[in-house]
Amino acid sequence: AQRVTQPEKLLSVFKGAPVELKCNYSYSGSPELFWYVQYSRQRLQLLLRHISRESIKGFTADLNKGETSFHLKKPFAQEEDSAMYYCALMLNAGKSTFGDGTTLTVKP
Amino acid sequence: GAGVSQSPRYKVAKRGQDVALRCDPISGHVSLFWYQQALGQGPEFLTYFQNEAQLDKSGLPSDRFFAERPEGSVSTLKIQRTQQEDSAVYLCASSLVQGKVTEAFFGQGTRLTVV
């Protein structure tokens, strides 16, 4: 069955430190993976997608099919990065399955 | 408005009561999605519309859940005979692109509490 696992519910780092939010998936097909972010009191929004290999707000994520992972990384965390982050796997055109999220806190 | 609008923002229902949750998508968006998010969990897919056609309702948890989008714009998610396990945030999202939930803009959600 398709599944997305985010093993860390909470992650806390100091400003300027590197941060990595882990995401593992199980899927028999060719995966399309994404990261969403939800800042406090704001809506869920797409952060980045593996297929475009982009860097958004300094974040990158590489799809590792061998390890079935799609970890989100940033070399130098900022306080404004504090938010809830969700990893998601697109199953078909209309449906995605989400992990349970990681709350990132960046301390000053 | 500029974004997806959901109403009400908060709803408290007594167990057994019927509720209706409304979603106003961004004008012109053909695709509309409903997700359910229980406390401490990620969003879970409920159903997907392309214009007025409900193309996927595989995520609706029971026949007490019903969604419609009769004119291809506003959508309503109805829950009959609410149960405590229905307590969750219900998210609506719309997309200009056909069937691409990853291109969708999310609303702020309706928080349903069943007491």
Side-chain angles (χ1 to χ4, degrees):
Chain A
Q2 308 91 345
R3 187 178 179 87
V4 174
T5 304
Q6 294 180 250
E8 303 141 327
K9 275 282 190 189
L10 303 170
L11 185 61
S12 182
V13 301
F14 285 101
K15 177 183 173 181
V19 62
E20 180 180 56
L21 293 92
K22 291 185 168 50
C23 172
N24 291 89
Y25 68 91
S26 61
Y27 185 56
S28 57
S30 183
E32 282 196 58
L33 285 143
F34 308 83
W35 278 97
Y36 285 80
V37 61
Q38 188 168 25
Y39 300 103
S40 179
R41 302 183 187 280
Q42 294 190 26
R43 303 162 189 230
L44 191 65
Q45 57 185 290
L46 182 66
L47 179 62
L48 57 77
R49 64 200 80 192
H50 93 269
I51 202 165
S52 56
R53 302 184 65 82
E54 58 203 341
S55 173
I56 303 293
K57 300 184 180 183
F59 284 97
T60 59
D62 290 319
L63 176 62
N64 185 324
K65 292 187 178 180
E67 295 183 358
T68 60
S69 69
F70 187 56
H71 304 327
L72 184 67
K73 301 177 184 179
K74 185 169 182 177
F76 307 103
Q78 303 300 313
E79 290 181 69
E80 55 265 31
D81 297 329
S82 295
M84 174 73 87
Y85 292 81
Y86 294 96
C87 182
L89 169 68
M90 191 169 78
L91 303 178
N92 57 42
K95 183 191 301 185
S96 286
T97 188
F98 286 75
D100 285 338
T102 297
T103 302
L104 173 66
T105 302
V106 181
K107 297 180 284 188
Chain B
V4 177
S5 178
Q6 292 186 246
S7 61
R9 289 291 313 281
Y10 304 92
K11 175 70 179 177
V12 178
K14 291 185 177 179
R15 190 169 53 184
Q17 186 179 352
D18 296 350
V19 298
L21 311 181
R22 178 187 170 104
C23 173
D24 280 275
I26 295 172
S27 178
H29 278 198
V30 299
S31 297
L32 186 145
F33 312 86
W34 283 99
Y35 279 76
Q36 179 192 57
Q37 186 171 19
L39 188 64
Q41 297 182 19
E44 289 194 11
F45 172 80
L46 292 176
T47 187
Y48 155 55
F49 290 87
Q50 188 170 304
N51 296 306
E52 69 277 5
Q54 190 173 20
L55 298 188
D56 189 342
K57 55 180 181 179
S58 62
L60 296 176
S62 77
D63 59 8
R64 295 186 296 104
F65 286 71
F66 173 76
E68 61 182 3
R69 193 185 185 199
E71 297 178 359
S73 179
V74 171
S75 178
T76 304
L77 176 67
K78 299 179 179 178
I79 309 173
Q80 297 178 321
R81 304 181 304 281
T82 52
Q83 306 292 316
Q84 284 192 318
E85 61 263 27
D86 300 336
S87 296
V89 175
Y90 290 85
L91 297 170
C92 175
S94 72
S95 169
L96 186 62
V97 178
Q98 289 185 7
K100 279 284 191 179
V101 66
T102 51
E103 305 283 349
F105 294 87
F106 280 82
Q108 290 190 298
T110 293
R111 182 178 297 277
L112 173 65
T113 303
V114 181
V115 297

